Amino acid sequence: MEPDHPPGDRGPLIGAENGGFALAAAFADGTPQAVCRIGQEFRAWDLTAQTPAHPPFLAEAVLRDGAMAAAGWGATMVFAAVVESDGAGGRVRVWDAATGAPCGPDIETADNWITAITLAEIDGTLLAAIADGDHGIQIFDTATGQPCTRRTVDIGLPLVNALAMGTVGGQAVVAAGDESGRILFREIPSLCRFGGPAQAHDGQITALAFGSGSTGGWLASVGTEAVAGGKRPVFARFWVPGKSGRRLRPQAAPIRLPGPAGSIALSGVAGQMEAVTVHGHQAIRWDVRNGEPVSAPLGGGHERVCAVGVATVAGQTMAVSATYGKATIRTWDIPDCAPARHPVTCRPLVRDDISKPVYPGAPQSLAQHRSRHTRSASRGDRKGR
């Protein structure tokens, strides 16, 4: 996917090391993406290429510990989060991650805490389902901010911590996962119960997602489970709900995750079911069938660039950047703005073994490291001739 930049601008010198904190994942037009945050700026990242999918957008007043969600909407991604409110009620805002513009007015919800949000396109309309401590579950049209249902569902206890919208047996439903590990389906738009609750985990469910596979509509769930030794690790499980919504049929072996996950996305990619989980502020792609990561995690932090220089190696112009604290030096091809690679080994030209950190206001340090770095690349180029 080509980044969306103005003519003549190839984009910023940025790679996965500057992804920021991953918050929510989704598949946009079949491409796995994650919304990441640095400060008040949010950006959608292409997890296949590990490059920005779009320029960053400013999302002010977002509650960092509040519920968040992402979804594919056509070829782009949309992102929802709880935002600060002047009144007693809660507010949810939905952004187009490509343009940074709100998809509609803020959604006014409950006077109490919002426990879960999900987004999905149902019958051509982008809907938001929201669970809160006052009104239970409500469904809204994101374009108008108005409820799509005439009733709300009182959740009671246990609380709902995860929502997903999709189709079961031809019926549009919202799936609600609660603290006891159960999943209950409700019809859209009536919110009437669709079957009985199904047990998915023996502990709290933290994320749900619908996806499509060769055997029909899949549902992914993330929750805690008890194992020997008294520990409660987190597992992702993959199901096909029965047509009546009363049973969950396992479709793949569970995947033990490295930690709690607040977001999961699921889709068929190139004939394979693939999932993306977000935990520890990192987004990880998984091959569902073999239970292994597809690529390195994205996100978890960001490097602070403190100095930049330019060098020419074997006729190739490169930008050289040094980071503060971690003392990492990176190089970038100009004008491609892609990470530079060694002319012989094709490995990225990165130095992360600098013994002395590079601090702001120290251009001499950058010049010295840059000189050693580029001389090494030049020697490799001569050897390859």
Side-chain angles (χ1 to χ4, degrees), residues 16 23 83 87 173 205 218 237 314 342 381:
L23 304 173
V83 296
V173 299
I205 294 176
W218 285 40
R237 292 186 176 271
H342 194 283
D381 182 55

Side-chain angles (χ1 to χ4, degrees), residues 206-279:
T206 59
L208 291 171
F210 279 95
S212 297
S214 59
T215 57
W218 285 40
L219 177 69
S221 62
V222 174
T224 58
E225 300 180 16
V227 297
K231 296 181 179 180
R232 298 193 65 85
V234 180
F235 288 88
R237 292 186 176 271
F238 306 92
W239 321 89
V240 168
K243 293 183 179 180
S244 64
R246 296 181 181 276
R247 297 183 60 188
L248 296 173
R249 298 193 302 273
Q251 296 299 302
I255 298 176
R256 184 166 177 168
L257 302 179
S263 176
I264 187 169
L266 182 67
S267 183
V269 178
Q272 302 288 334
M273 286 302 293
E274 187 173 300
V276 178
T277 57
V278 174
H279 38 78

Side-chain angles (χ1 to χ4, degrees), residues 39 114 121 137 163 189 242 364:
I114 294 171
E121 184 177 349
I137 299 175
L163 294 171
Q364 183 177 1

